[in-house]
Amino acid sequence: MIADLIVVGIGELLTPYLQPPVKGASMADIVRIQKAFVAVKNGKIIDFGSGDPSRYRGPETLWYDAQGKIMVPGFVDGHTHLVFAGSREREFSQKVAGVPYLEILQSGGGIHATVEATRKAGKVELTAAALRSLDRFVEFGVTTLEAKSGYGLDIETEVKTLEVMAELQGLHPVEIVPTFMGAHAIPKEYHSDRGGYMAKLMEAMKIVKARNLAVFADVFCEEGVFTPEETVGLLEAAREIGLIPKIHADEIVPLGGAGIAVTVEAASADHLMAIRKEDIPRLAESSVIANLLPGTSFFLNHAYADARALIDQGVAVGVASDYNPGSSPSENFQLILQLAAGKLRMKPEEVLTAATLNPAFQLGLSERIGSIGLGKQADFVLLDAPNWEYVLYHYGVSHTDAVFKNGVQVVANGHRIGGISS
Ligand SMILES: [Zn+2]
């Protein structure tokens, strides 16, 4: 078979390879191949390994010399709030002074400020802002990401946000997996009518499913937001409608969100800084991915999730950016991975699995993406570093040299080819 693309001269190729969800100690079990090549045809990997790939070379084959750079699978960011309007740097001084997030929220700041801006924004404005973010994400090596609505909190704006995500698919190489998150907060106009908003959410989920605008439905289960009972009700309804549950769980107050994730068979339980100890073994027995978001802890000066306890007790862990305008306004996915190593005390190999194959599984895409394997989509990143450990050690910067999506190069010399910010 003749390849369209052959990447040669890879200093080291690293990839997870086990059947996901990859749990506990197995997360550190990855393949490392020195002096490697990858051969690609029609956007899929037809061979990889060490040795001479000349047998795949034809007159039309693009022969790409990686010049000793290291290769990993394209990163999969399993938790972002990609589409929103405005920014919240004015709250920064309050945050720095130590005003708790829930207090800023109750005073009409926080998410309510973004909701107001997003309701007012047109699709062109939302699309332009998201494209700029996607350019940054891909420059940090992210080739697929999950994106949540949840800055509309009314049917019209939630649908508008999800429509923007669908349109972005035709405009940008980064693949987006959409999540409906109308249950991100109770909007101001429903503060004295929670039941009314719950009914609206049920109606919205049906519309979203009927129009095929989302794969998942997510609920922010937290004190002052949605109660455990409301969360279970919404996620059970979501499953019945055909949306897969996800949950913002145990971020600030231990309400038992991780246990709810197991009960409703959620794809993921996210945050988990305040997880109840007794829920850890339940997570370990389930297929729920524990999605840890260290950028949020970093930015809010909060405690970090206890990744070691989760991994050591056999849970399948993922790491994600939680990119959003309030608690983690950064697309620097490599910083997130550096925090996972330094603050969550994850081993370098565990970080790789948590950034690729486990989030791909969580998004239902691990047959196609999340590792470098035969028949898999040719999504990979070349990092200009002597080894993977160095990528996690030399922090705060991007090590990306090149990114390939579906076998097509979309980043060169660390910059997005043809992007709006290049
Ligand atoms: Zn979030």
Side-chain angles (χ1 to χ4, degrees), residues 79-81 148 181 184 218 248 271 293 322 324 327:
H79 184 140
T80 84
H81 303 256
K148 303 169 199 298
M181 201 183 173
H184 199 185
D218 197 337
H248 281 60
H271 284 296
L293 315 171
D322 193 20
N324 77 77
S327 59

Side-chain angles (χ1 to χ4, degrees), residues 80-92:
T80 84
H81 303 256
L82 178 72
V83 180
F84 58 85
S87 180
R88 304 224 299 263
E89 63 279 359
R90 280 189 216 103
E91 288 168 17
F92 196 53

Side-chain angles (χ1 to χ4, degrees), residues 205-221:
M205 287 198 288
K206 284 180 192 148
I207 293 168
V208 163
K209 180 62 193 177
R211 295 194 45 199
N212 204 19
L213 286 170
V215 178
F216 300 97
D218 197 337
V219 177
F220 191 3
C221 179

Side-chain angles (χ1 to χ4, degrees), residues 153 180-187 194-206 216-222 225-248 260 263-266:
L153 308 184
F180 170 72
M181 201 183 173
H184 199 185
I186 304 271
R194 297 180 73 87
Y197 191 57
M198 295 289 283
K200 267 275 175 269
L201 286 172
M202 299 288 182
E203 188 188 338
M205 287 198 288
K206 284 180 192 148
F216 300 97
D218 197 337
V219 177
F220 191 3
C221 179
E222 186 57 67
V225 197
F226 290 89
T227 66
E229 293 70 27
E230 288 167 341
T231 301
V232 170
L234 286 167
L235 292 179
E236 280 179 347
R239 191 166 271 297
E240 232 159 78
I241 288 164
L243 297 167
I244 301 165
K246 288 167 76 72
I247 174 168
H248 281 60
I260 294 173
T263 304
V264 301
E265 295 177 16

